[in-house]
PDB file of all heavy atoms in Angstrom:
ATOM      1  N   GLN K 265     -18.361  25.956  27.014  1.00 98.00           N
ATOM      2  CA  GLN K 265     -19.434  26.287  27.962  1.00 98.00           C
ATOM      3  C   GLN K 265     -18.893  27.201  29.059  1.00 98.00           C
ATOM      4  O   GLN K 265     -19.516  28.188  29.424  1.00 98.00           O
ATOM      5  CB  GLN K 265     -19.994  25.004  28.596  1.00 98.00           C
ATOM      6  CG  GLN K 265     -20.836  24.190  27.644  1.00 98.00           C
ATOM      7  CD  GLN K 265     -21.124  22.789  28.142  1.00 98.00           C
ATOM      8  OE1 GLN K 265     -21.295  21.889  27.334  1.00 98.00           O
ATOM      9  NE2 GLN K 265     -21.161  22.594  29.451  1.00 98.00           N
ATOM     10  N   GLY K 268     -18.570  30.711  27.964  1.00 98.00           N
ATOM     11  CA  GLY K 268     -19.746  31.522  27.659  1.00 98.00           C
ATOM     12  C   GLY K 268     -20.830  30.861  26.828  1.00 98.00           C
ATOM     13  O   GLY K 268     -21.950  31.368  26.763  1.00 98.00           O
ATOM     14  N   PRO K 271     -25.020  26.259  28.639  1.00 96.00           N
ATOM     15  CA  PRO K 271     -24.694  25.040  29.390  1.00 96.00           C
ATOM     16  C   PRO K 271     -25.193  23.773  28.693  1.00 96.00           C
ATOM     17  O   PRO K 271     -26.252  23.779  28.067  1.00 96.00           O
ATOM     18  CB  PRO K 271     -25.402  25.236  30.731  1.00 96.00           C
ATOM     19  CG  PRO K 271     -26.238  26.445  30.611  1.00 96.00           C
ATOM     20  CD  PRO K 271     -25.840  27.198  29.398  1.00 96.00           C
ATOM     21  N   SER K 310     -12.739  21.667   7.973  1.00 98.00           N
ATOM     22  CA  SER K 310     -12.822  20.491   7.105  1.00 98.00           C
ATOM     23  C   SER K 310     -12.294  20.813   5.705  1.00 98.00           C
ATOM     24  O   SER K 310     -11.573  20.018   5.085  1.00 98.00           O
ATOM     25  CB  SER K 310     -14.281  20.029   7.033  1.00 98.00           C
ATOM     26  OG  SER K 310     -14.472  19.171   5.953  1.00 98.00           O
ATOM     27  N   ALA K 363     -31.342  13.294  28.542  1.00 98.00           N
ATOM     28  CA  ALA K 363     -30.570  12.952  27.341  1.00 98.00           C
ATOM     29  C   ALA K 363     -30.626  11.452  27.062  1.00 98.00           C
ATOM     30  O   ALA K 363     -30.521  11.030  25.909  1.00 98.00           O
ATOM     31  CB  ALA K 363     -29.122  13.404  27.505  1.00 98.00           C
ATOM     32  N   GLN K 437     -25.810  33.640  25.050  1.00 98.00           N
ATOM     33  CA  GLN K 437     -24.685  33.016  25.744  1.00 98.00           C
ATOM     34  C   GLN K 437     -23.658  32.570  24.705  1.00 98.00           C
ATOM     35  O   GLN K 437     -23.921  31.663  23.911  1.00 98.00           O
ATOM     36  CB  GLN K 437     -25.188  31.818  26.557  1.00 98.00           C
ATOM     37  CG  GLN K 437     -26.168  32.237  27.640  1.00 98.00           C
ATOM     38  CD  GLN K 437     -26.839  31.047  28.307  1.00 98.00           C
ATOM     39  OE1 GLN K 437     -27.432  30.204  27.656  1.00 98.00           O
ATOM     40  NE2 GLN K 437     -26.755  30.997  29.628  1.00 98.00           N
ATOM     41  N   PRO K 440     -16.103  33.854  23.280  1.00 98.00           N
ATOM     42  CA  PRO K 440     -15.528  34.868  22.387  1.00 98.00           C
ATOM     43  C   PRO K 440     -15.383  34.356  20.947  1.00 98.00           C
ATOM     44  O   PRO K 440     -15.064  33.176  20.730  1.00 98.00           O
ATOM     45  CB  PRO K 440     -14.161  35.147  23.006  1.00 98.00           C
ATOM     46  CG  PRO K 440     -14.297  34.743  24.438  1.00 98.00           C
ATOM     47  CD  PRO K 440     -15.265  33.604  24.452  1.00 98.00           C
ATOM     48  N   PHE K 502     -33.014  15.161  36.455  1.00 97.00           N
ATOM     49  CA  PHE K 502     -33.935  15.164  35.318  1.00 97.00           C
ATOM     50  C   PHE K 502     -34.685  16.494  35.190  1.00 97.00           C
ATOM     51  O   PHE K 502     -35.146  16.840  34.125  1.00 97.00           O
ATOM     52  CB  PHE K 502     -34.957  14.028  35.446  1.00 97.00           C
ATOM     53  CG  PHE K 502     -34.379  12.678  35.123  1.00 97.00           C
ATOM     54  CD1 PHE K 502     -33.730  11.938  36.104  1.00 97.00           C
ATOM     55  CD2 PHE K 502     -34.462  12.153  33.843  1.00 97.00           C
ATOM     56  CE1 PHE K 502     -33.185  10.693  35.805  1.00 97.00           C
ATOM     57  CE2 PHE K 502     -33.922  10.918  33.529  1.00 97.00           C
ATOM     58  CZ  PHE K 502     -33.276  10.186  34.525  1.00 97.00           C
TER      59      PHE K 502
END
Side-chain angles (χ1 to χ4, degrees):
Chain K
Q265 287 167 209
S310 163
Q437 297 171 305
F502 284 86

